[in-house]
Amino acid sequence: MTATGLSAISFHTPHRYIGLDTLAEHHGIDPDKFSKGIGQEKIALPGHDEDIVTMAAEAAKPIIDRYGSDGIDTVLFATETGIDQSKAAGIYMHRLLGLPANCRNVEFKQACYSATAALQMACSYVARKPDRKVLVIASDVARYDLDSSGEATQGAGAVAMLVTANPTVLEIGANSGVFTEDIMDFWRPNDRRTPLFDGKYSTLRYLNAMIEAWKDYSENGGHSYDAFSHFCYHLPFSRMGEKAHRHLAKANKAPIEMDKALTGMAYNRVIGNSYTASIYLAVLSTLENTYADLTGQLLGLFSYGSGATGEFFDAKVVEGYQDHLFTARHANILNERIAVSYDDYVSLWNAYPLDDGSATMPEEARGRYRLASIDENKRIYIDQHA
Ligand code: HMG
């Protein structure tokens, strides 16, 4: 069977954030509730002229610069914060990146899970057509109502992944375990900017979906628990990953070795929830923040999307993977961010542009791509270097 998986993976997150200590101070609560109880430090905040398209283009651009776009004939764009009910967000990004015109372009949705469906389908496709490449994008803005219990679990970010045959970073295993149940733990009706959710219930359903997906993975011939060197979880907040890891270890009567999951949480702790991108940020964090050589090691991945669908699958680290990472670039993105005050956070929170007429966006994005305006309900994206 042809090996398939990732030959490049890169992320982007906006340059502004609010520290959760600032949020705690505003609400008059103990900052340890966020830093220890939720396990988060910062929430990334997009500006008026940044959204899932600009973040996706910023994440994918270094991959295109390094590897070119030859052979990319499919863009699968996963998001649950879509900007249009009809047109796929990937089509705007496709133009910004100058991708080949002979390319299909589709948007995927199932809460935080859909990038995993996109990745699995991309792997099946390149197994059939090994000379083709697929660009899989996960891009989201996680936004909850101000003063709600979800407020501390906001965030924003995008991950771009180049899926090929004979991958150079991660080989995605053919075995996976899946689970779906029809529940209302988190959802966003069409007329709402923010989700409705039952927070505590959602954490319990997440754990249940993980165990059910793990059982299915095991029954489908998956690896045993002790074969994995690291685990990467969907991280709505990093403490959820800790709970998941403890739960999975207990279910397997294994010792709880938190270091197998912690390096995967480093990026999420300072970016926040990025919905579809979150588990792939955990994968990146594991690859880029584990100092030991991971060649040949097996990662266990659990992807969850409320509503709900979960999938457990595995990925093997390919020799020479370090040469295909963007570690220094990612460190710069995080190091060069600026903190905002509570008042500036509220003003950015209210900035979420909707296509309801016309507007010119203030120039806030520091990256190359901007949402410049909305002109009679048409979103106008620009490449500032063009
Ligand atoms: P909450 O009511 O803010 O927090 O809700 P809490 O009072 O339960 O406290 C949280 C933890 O902090 C508790 O620990 C406290 O003891 C601890 P736990 O019981 O969990 O072990 N704590 C402290 N620790 C140290 N020092 C202190 C202190 N005070 C309290 N001083 C909740 C938390 C996660 C429910 C809320 O933030 C929420 O509703 N978030 C949104 C929903 C969510 O993220 N769900 C996760 C599972 S569903 C999912 O992952 C899918 C999702 O990504 C969406 C999608 O798929 O599209 C959300």
Side-chain angles (χ1 to χ4, degrees):
M1 193 168 51
T2 312
T4 61
L6 305 188
S7 284
I9 174 166
S10 158
F11 84 77
H12 181 76
T13 190
H15 72 275
R16 281 181 292 203
Y17 68 87
I18 180 167
L20 286 180
D21 47 352
T22 306
L23 200 61
E25 189 184 340
H26 171 81
H27 290 302
I29 57 175
D30 182 351
D32 280 358
K33 167 156 184 198
F34 296 149
S35 61
K36 297 195 173 119
I38 302 283
Q40 290 298 124
E41 291 167 32
K42 298 172 182 175
I43 294 171
L45 302 168
H48 292 71
D49 54 350
E50 294 171 291
D51 67 5
I52 55 163
V53 172
T54 63
M55 290 192 300
E58 299 289 353
K61 178 68 174 150
I63 295 180
I64 303 302
D65 284 349
R66 191 187 281 175
Y67 301 100
S69 58
D70 282 359
I72 297 179
D73 74 354
T74 304
V75 172
L76 304 180
F77 195 116
T79 186
E80 61 174 298
T81 41
I83 47 155
D84 194 286
Q85 294 280 29
S86 171
K87 180 170 174 170
I91 297 182
Y92 297 101
M93 186 203 69
H94 178 276
R95 176 182 61 78
L96 291 171
L97 295 176
L99 298 181
N102 295 117
C103 185
R104 58 176 71 77
N105 223 310
V106 189
E107 192 165 303
F108 276 48
K109 182 180 73 180
Q110 181 4 59
C112 301
Y113 164 75
S114 64
T116 299
L119 174 59
Q120 293 289 15
M121 287 179 193
C123 286
S124 301
Y125 177 66
V126 298
R128 191 156 57 102
K129 294 199 167 190
D131 60 331
R132 305 300 167 91
K133 299 172 185 167
V134 179
L135 191 56
V136 171
I137 303 287
S139 186
D140 267 304
V141 178
R143 195 177 303 257
Y144 291 84
D145 284 333
L146 297 176
D147 305 335
S148 71
S149 68
E151 186 181 19
T153 65
Q154 298 178 97
V159 171
M161 297 178 271
L162 188 65
V163 177
T164 69
N166 305 312
T168 54
V169 176
L170 272 185
E171 191 180 317
I172 302 296
N175 287 324
S176 75
V178 288
F179 177 73
T180 287
E181 66 172 343
D182 182 4
I183 52 168
M184 300 304 276
D185 61 333
F186 171 108
W187 68 106
R188 184 163 67 87
N190 285 339
D191 59 348
R192 285 187 59 96
R193 288 175 54 186
T194 50
L196 300 166
F197 59 100
D198 186 342
K200 294 264 159 41
Y201 176 63
S202 72
T203 62
L204 297 176
R205 297 330 290 165
Y206 172 121
L207 295 177
N208 178 63
M210 181 186 67
I211 295 300
E212 293 301 326
W214 169 258
K215 280 192 218 155
D216 193 44
Y217 172 79
S218 303
E219 280 160 22
N220 287 334
H223 296 275
S224 62
Y225 179 87
D226 54 11
F228 296 100
S229 75
H230 291 80
F231 292 85
C232 303
Y233 297 93
H234 166 56
L235 296 172
F237 50 95
S238 71
R239 186 86 198 292
M240 186 74 232
E242 288 175 30
K243 288 183 189 207
H245 191 57
R246 203 165 279 126
H247 205 65
L248 190 60
K250 271 191 189 158
N252 284 284
K253 300 186 173 48
I256 298 162
E257 297 161 302
M258 209 40 89
D259 54 321
K260 289 191 170 190
L262 281 178
T263 41
M265 297 177 194
Y267 288 156
N268 294 70
R269 272 189 80 90
V270 295
I271 288 175
N273 196 354
S274 53
Y275 291 159
T276 51
S278 158
I279 181 178
Y280 297 101
L281 261 183
V283 169
L284 256 178
S285 191
T286 304
L287 294 175
E288 296 184 344
N289 295 316
T290 307
Y291 298 114
D293 183 0
L294 290 175
T295 299
Q297 301 288 349
L298 203 59
L299 312 184
L301 284 76
F302 176 61
S303 176
Y304 179 75
S306 285
T309 285
E311 177 160 349
F312 192 96
F313 60 112
D314 60 64
K316 193 158 105 190
V317 184
V318 178
E319 185 176 4
Y321 69 99
Q322 299 95 330
D323 298 339
H324 300 278
L325 299 176
F326 296 89
T327 311
R329 179 189 168 89
H330 294 151
N332 284 343
I333 289 174
L334 294 177
N335 291 339
E336 288 170 6
R337 295 189 304 167
I338 50 173
V340 303
S341 66
Y342 180 80
D343 289 347
D344 287 346
Y345 152 69
V346 172
S347 126
L348 285 170
W349 192 92
N350 283 308
Y352 197 10
L354 296 171
D355 299 5
D356 53 355
S358 298
T360 301
M361 302 306 162
E363 290 188 28
E364 294 175 338
R366 276 206 192 147
R368 177 168 177 159
Y369 304 105
R370 292 185 58 234
L371 171 64
S373 58
I374 295 174
D375 183 8
E376 294 181 353
N377 300 304
K378 294 176 189 150
R379 296 171 88 87
I380 314 293
Y381 291 96
I382 59 163
D383 174 352
Q384 306 197 82
H385 295 192

